[in-house]
Amino acid sequence: MSEKPRLGSFQSLGPNGFHEVAYTEWGDPQSPRLVFCVHGYTRNSRDFDVLAESLAEECHVVCMDVAGRGRSEWLPKKNDYSFSLYLTDAAALLARVTAPPPPPTGLKRVFRRTQPKPKRHIDWIGTSMGGLIGMMLAARRNSPIRRLILNDVGPLVPWPALMRMKKAQTGLGRSFSCLEDVEFHLRETCASFGPLTETQWRKVTTNSAIEQRDGSYVLAFDPAIITHMRSGGVTGVAFGSEFLAGVDLWPTYEAIRCPTLVLRGAESDLLLGKIADDMMRRGPRAKIVEFEGIGHAPWLMADEQIGAVRDFLFASTVKAPAAEPVRREKVALHPA
């Protein structure tokens, strides 16, 4: 029987007051292995349902709805949408889900066996924007992130790809008369993510729409995350000098010390092949796995994509980077 996620939320503090951040949980909260997942710019935590269910037997999996997306609150002050807020919210949720349980009382305390609690391993899986948040946290001093997986994003995000993604969000704030219309819209805007089964498309659609009082639907993200995008809204993050080519986070990437896996859609315009090659030579010298026939960004629902994630997370050891980087690993697309 398939496991269902547990839905949670908490109050996080932003520049203009508190706001609610939602998340889903899978697996045993006391597991020594925590996998933390963060979605792409206009997506939501439920994109990780298939992956999370596959990891839940071995791990505690937590998937966050970034502010303004999914079930998280839409911010009243639209200029608050920034990476500095997203980093703060992610750190607050990490602290929440890694906090020790309350000590036992009464007889339970008397008969409790004293044994050291194993240290939790925290692994991060981030798609697009979620990968950028993971990079920024992994680069910080004393970061708790043990292994990092970046799904189709790197330290240089080309301007043309950003402009293409912004233009793709046509009809922001529009309403849809039925879920079938929402699904038709998502099949167009998310076509590059790769094929899904009919059942998967229907589930993605259900998790990507909010029903209004009149029975119509809107997409599950605040249109202001697109219309009020801030430039340089990340406090304490070092930007590189390649700003003419795109958003340059090479200094951040080169500060990462944990083993890193990069998943790339072979046809992606957001993570270019040249950038992926450079990521094997610089910073943590990431391992690259490339999925043919897919653009930005793989859904992480196909068996070969989940297999690449599991192989990296559950490897007993991660070899030190070789003197010369290996070639990108290419994985053929299997029909859904």
Side-chain angles (χ1 to χ4, degrees):
M1 182 175 66
S2 62
E3 181 177 349
K4 292 184 178 180
R6 303 181 298 277
L7 307 181
S9 64
F10 73 104
Q11 294 291 312
S12 186
L13 180 61
N16 288 286
F18 288 91
H19 57 279
E20 186 173 14
V21 176
Y23 59 95
T24 61
E25 283 186 283
W26 305 73
D28 181 4
Q30 300 307 313
S31 170
R33 304 185 66 112
L34 170 64
V35 179
F36 200 90
C37 304
V38 182
H39 56 79
Y41 205 82
T42 61
R43 299 301 307 148
N44 62 78
S45 65
R46 303 305 299 273
D47 285 355
F48 293 104
D49 279 7
V50 177
L51 176 62
E53 186 174 355
S54 77
L55 299 173
E57 187 172 341
E58 300 98 336
C59 307
H60 178 204
V61 185
V62 175
C63 309
M64 182 175 81
D65 277 327
V66 177
R69 290 86 164 170
R71 295 184 304 110
S72 286
E73 183 177 343
W74 292 15
L75 303 181
K77 299 289 186 181
K78 305 308 181 183
N79 285 338
D80 287 351
Y81 288 122
S82 69
F83 276 94
S84 55
L85 179 85
Y86 307 153
L87 290 170
T88 298
D89 288 350
L93 181 53
L94 275 171
R96 178 182 179 88
V97 299
T98 57
T105 59
L107 291 177
K108 289 184 178 179
R109 181 178 181 182
V110 173
F111 292 103
R112 179 184 62 173
R113 294 182 179 180
T114 58
Q115 55 184 1
K117 186 176 180 180
K119 184 177 180 180
R120 297 195 84 183
H121 291 158
I122 300 176
D123 300 323
W124 185 284
I125 303 174
T127 294
S128 194
M129 176 190 69
L132 295 178
I133 297 170
M135 277 201 303
M136 294 172 191
L137 289 177
R140 297 296 178 93
R141 184 178 65 87
N142 294 330
S143 173
I145 297 176
R146 181 188 71 118
R147 295 184 185 180
L148 174 65
I149 298 179
L150 305 175
N151 184 22
D152 209 66
V153 71
L156 186 69
V157 182
W159 293 122
L162 288 175
M163 293 302 101
R164 189 267 306 165
M165 292 172 65
K166 187 172 183 179
K167 289 179 180 178
Q169 298 299 330
T170 56
L172 285 174
R174 63 177 284 197
S175 62
F176 301 85
S177 61
C178 58
L179 282 175
E180 287 74 16
D181 289 346
V182 177
E183 181 175 335
F184 180 82
H185 173 80
L186 292 173
R187 283 176 179 261
E188 284 192 327
T189 57
C190 301
S192 64
F193 296 12
L196 295 178
T197 65
E198 295 298 316
T199 299
Q200 288 172 332
W201 272 120
R202 178 46 58 101
K203 187 172 181 181
V204 164
T205 299
T206 302
N207 292 328
S208 300
I210 300 173
E211 186 173 5
Q212 305 296 288
R213 292 180 178 178
D214 63 359
S216 64
Y217 295 86
V218 295
L219 297 176
F221 67 85
D222 185 350
I225 65 174
I226 303 293
T227 58
H228 288 72
M229 288 190 350
R230 296 176 59 184
S231 59
V234 184
T235 303
V237 174
F239 288 90
S241 58
E242 298 183 40
F243 59 88
L244 292 178
V247 178
D248 181 2
L249 292 176
W250 276 113
T252 297
Y253 180 76
E254 290 178 331
I256 296 171
R257 296 291 176 264
C258 63
T260 301
L261 170 68
V262 175
L263 307 174
R264 177 177 183 265
E267 299 175 8
S268 174
D269 62 346
L270 192 131
L271 177 55
L272 301 178
K274 179 183 181 302
I275 303 303
D277 290 341
D278 289 343
M279 293 175 76
M280 293 190 292
R281 300 183 179 93
R282 300 170 64 172
R285 295 186 178 181
K287 176 184 178 183
I288 310 292
V289 177
E290 196 169 81
F291 300 106
E292 296 182 354
I294 295 176
H296 179 77
W299 280 114
L300 303 186
M301 296 186 195
D303 289 344
E304 57 269 23
Q305 296 167 14
I306 293 174
V309 170
R310 292 183 61 89
D311 288 347
F312 180 74
L313 293 183
F314 298 130
S316 57
T317 59
V318 177
K319 297 180 180 178
E324 292 295 330
V326 296
R327 294 182 179 180
R328 281 180 268 153
E329 178 182 332
K330 296 182 181 290
V331 179
L333 174 67
H334 293 137

